[in-house]
């Protein structure tokens, strides 16, 4: 399998992984959301000395998804996504819908068509770029986390459903990495069409609540999973957060509904205390 479609390749993880897969000799279709990104990515690929087929593919656009069915994709990297920051009781309806349209509905509908083509060929690989937030939750990232929890359910079901047809399915679960994505998530409130006086929180005072890692481990892992060099179904980076992630999955079984009522949790307070774009200190 050599032909790879990477969605959301205009920035972040998708951008770098498309470049690296091309450098490995894969036939990479690098999909970007808007036309303005197409020529820019072509120039960037030329500067890196790699060949990319750059296509405009908005995963929420039915016409774009239909067009992708003509590309004979053998490996699909579902990387396109957006992050909506804010309290679950403040985020406006339109922003909630957009979060799920981009992160869940669009990628799933794209995958349905491509997966059936893979079944006809008798092989294929589907990589879902989920998140550590697909396994845990944090204040102010609940809607983003909900979309990634949904991806986890779909990917796990899909892995079972497609196994007999020879289709591989895997997830990659990045933690907090300093690509700009997490910090942009805490700026989306500026575009909300709501009554600001009714919000529970002053979002001008909040930031992404954790220090962030250098993204190199995700670039390496996502590239290797897409290339078929890693066999594990779930691939969480950084590896140093695996045990914390597992413990937080178990934590709700011990939680009591009246624990800490009337006080602010420490993980919520962290959003008030953290400065944007704070790197993990080595």
């Amino acid at each position: 399998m050599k032909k790879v479609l990477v969605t959301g390749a205009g920035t972040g993880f998708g951008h770098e992984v498309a470049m690296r897969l091309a450098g490995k000799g894969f036939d990479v279709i690098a999909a970007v959301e808007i036309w303005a990104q197409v020529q820019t990515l072509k120039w960037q690929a030329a500067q890196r000395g790699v060949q990319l087929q750059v296509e405009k593919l908005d995963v929420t656009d039915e016409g774009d998804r239909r067009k992708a069915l003509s590309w004979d994709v053998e490996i699909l990297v579902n990387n396109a996504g957006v992050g909506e920051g804010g309290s679950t009781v403040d985020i406006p309806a339109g922003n909630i819908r957009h979060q799920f349209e981009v992160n869940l509905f669009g990628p799933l509908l794209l995958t349905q068509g491509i997966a059936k083509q893979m079944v006809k060929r008798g092989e294929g690989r589907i990589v879902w770029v989920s998140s550590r937030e697909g396994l845990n939750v944090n204040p102010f990232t609940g809607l983003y986390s909900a979309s990634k929890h949904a991806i986890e359910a779909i990917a796990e079901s899909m892995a079972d459903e497609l196994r007999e047809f020879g289709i591989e399915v895997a997830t990659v679960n990045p933690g907090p990495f300093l690509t700009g994505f997490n910090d942009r998530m805490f700026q989306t409130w500026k575009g909300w069409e709501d009554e600001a006086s009714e919000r529970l929180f002053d979002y001008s005072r909040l930031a992404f609540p954790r220090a962030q890692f250098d993204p190199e481990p995700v670039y390496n892992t996502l590239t290797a999973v897409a290339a078929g060099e890693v066999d594990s179904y779930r691939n969480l980076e950084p590896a140093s957060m695996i045990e914390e992630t597992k413990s937080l999955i178990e934590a709700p079984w011990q939680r009591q509904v009246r624990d800490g009522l009337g006080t602010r949790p420490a993980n919520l307070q962290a959003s008030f205390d953290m400065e944007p774009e704070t790197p993990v200190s080595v």
Side-chain angles (χ1 to χ4, degrees), residues 21-54:
L21 286 169
K24 284 177 170 284
F26 286 86
D27 183 3
V28 178
I29 305 165
V32 296
E33 181 187 5
I34 58 176
W35 285 110
Q37 295 174 297
V38 171
Q39 192 60 43
T40 298
L41 185 52
K42 288 180 179 179
W43 288 335
Q44 292 168 336
Q47 291 173 342
R48 291 277 290 263
V50 299
Q51 293 288 327
L52 294 179
Q53 176 184 336
V54 183

Side-chain angles (χ1 to χ4, degrees), residues 191-242:
W192 289 357
E193 295 182 2
D194 66 338
E195 178 49 63
S197 65
E198 295 181 1
R199 298 173 187 167
L200 288 188
F201 296 94
D202 177 0
Y203 293 100
S204 67
R205 299 177 57 202
L206 303 183
F208 184 74
R210 297 192 69 138
Q212 300 174 67
F213 295 87
D214 184 284
E216 184 63 29
V218 180
Y219 299 154
N220 285 335
T221 296
L222 182 51
T223 300
V225 172
E229 299 166 355
V230 172
D231 291 333
S232 52
Y233 166 77
R234 176 172 286 157
N235 302 273
L236 190 147
E237 292 289 353
S240 60
M241 298 188 78
I242 290 175

Side-chain angles (χ1 to χ4, degrees), residues 1-7 9 14 17-31 51-55 57 68 71-79 110 114 118 121 124-127 129 222-228:
M1 295 184 289
K2 298 294 288 184
K3 182 169 281 191
V4 188
L5 171 58
V6 181
T7 67
V17 168
M19 298 285 188
R20 295 191 184 197
L21 286 169
K24 284 177 170 284
F26 286 86
D27 183 3
V28 178
I29 305 165
Q51 293 288 327
L52 294 179
Q53 176 184 336
V54 183
E55 298 283 355
L57 171 58
W71 297 336
D72 298 319
V73 174
E74 297 173 296
I75 303 167
L76 172 60
V77 180
N78 278 318
N79 170 75
L110 174 68
I114 291 175
M118 292 177 176
R121 285 194 296 266
R125 182 176 304 126
I126 299 168
V127 181
V129 180
L222 182 51
T223 300
V225 172

Side-chain angles (χ1 to χ4, degrees), residues 2-210:
K2 298 294 288 184
K3 182 169 281 191
V4 188
L5 171 58
V6 181
T7 67
T11 60
F13 299 141
H15 180 277
E16 183 63 24
V17 168
M19 298 285 188
R20 295 191 184 197
L21 286 169
K24 284 177 170 284
F26 286 86
D27 183 3
V28 178
I29 305 165
V32 296
E33 181 187 5
I34 58 176
W35 285 110
Q37 295 174 297
V38 171
Q39 192 60 43
T40 298
L41 185 52
K42 288 180 179 179
W43 288 335
Q44 292 168 336
Q47 291 173 342
R48 291 277 290 263
V50 299
Q51 293 288 327
L52 294 179
Q53 176 184 336
V54 183
E55 298 283 355
K56 186 263 186 186
L57 171 58
D58 178 348
V59 295
T60 68
D61 186 280
E62 182 179 358
D64 283 2
R65 295 194 301 265
R66 188 166 52 247
K67 178 178 63 177
L69 297 179
S70 67
W71 297 336
D72 298 319
V73 174
E74 297 173 296
I75 303 167
L76 172 60
V77 180
N78 278 318
N79 170 75
V82 295
E84 185 71 44
S87 168
T88 53
V89 298
D90 277 342
I91 298 175
N95 299 72
I96 295 172
R97 292 190 181 96
H98 183 249
Q99 177 73 93
F100 280 84
E101 289 287 348
V102 176
N103 286 14
L104 180 64
F105 303 144
L108 177 56
L109 292 171
L110 174 68
T111 302
Q112 286 180 339
I114 291 175
K116 288 174 181 175
Q117 293 179 331
M118 292 177 176
V119 168
K120 290 179 181 178
R121 285 194 296 266
E123 65 176 356
R125 182 176 304 126
I126 299 168
V127 181
W128 289 92
V129 180
S130 178
S131 172
R132 182 174 180 265
E133 294 277 300
L135 306 171
N136 297 155
V137 297
N138 284 291
F140 306 125
T141 61
L143 264 295
Y144 171 75
S145 182
S147 71
K148 293 299 186 177
H149 273 68
I151 284 175
E152 290 292 323
I154 286 168
E156 194 165 348
S157 294
M158 188 175 288
D160 289 338
E161 294 158 357
L162 297 182
R163 183 169 58 184
E164 66 183 277
F165 302 106
I167 313 303
E168 304 169 22
V169 179
T171 71
V172 175
N173 298 70
F177 285 93
L178 192 53
T179 64
F181 181 90
N182 296 316
D183 295 287
R184 288 194 299 271
M185 185 161 45
F186 275 70
Q187 298 170 356
T188 58
W189 61 271
K190 295 178 181 180
W192 289 357
E193 295 182 2
D194 66 338
E195 178 49 63
S197 65
E198 295 181 1
R199 298 173 187 167
L200 288 188
F201 296 94
D202 177 0
Y203 293 100
S204 67
R205 299 177 57 202
L206 303 183
F208 184 74
R210 297 192 69 138

Side-chain angles (χ1 to χ4, degrees), residues 259-279:
D259 287 349
L261 283 183
T263 64
R264 176 177 289 172
N267 58 348
L268 192 151
Q269 181 61 39
S271 285
F272 288 87
D273 299 336
M274 186 67 69
E275 291 296 322
E277 300 184 5
T278 300

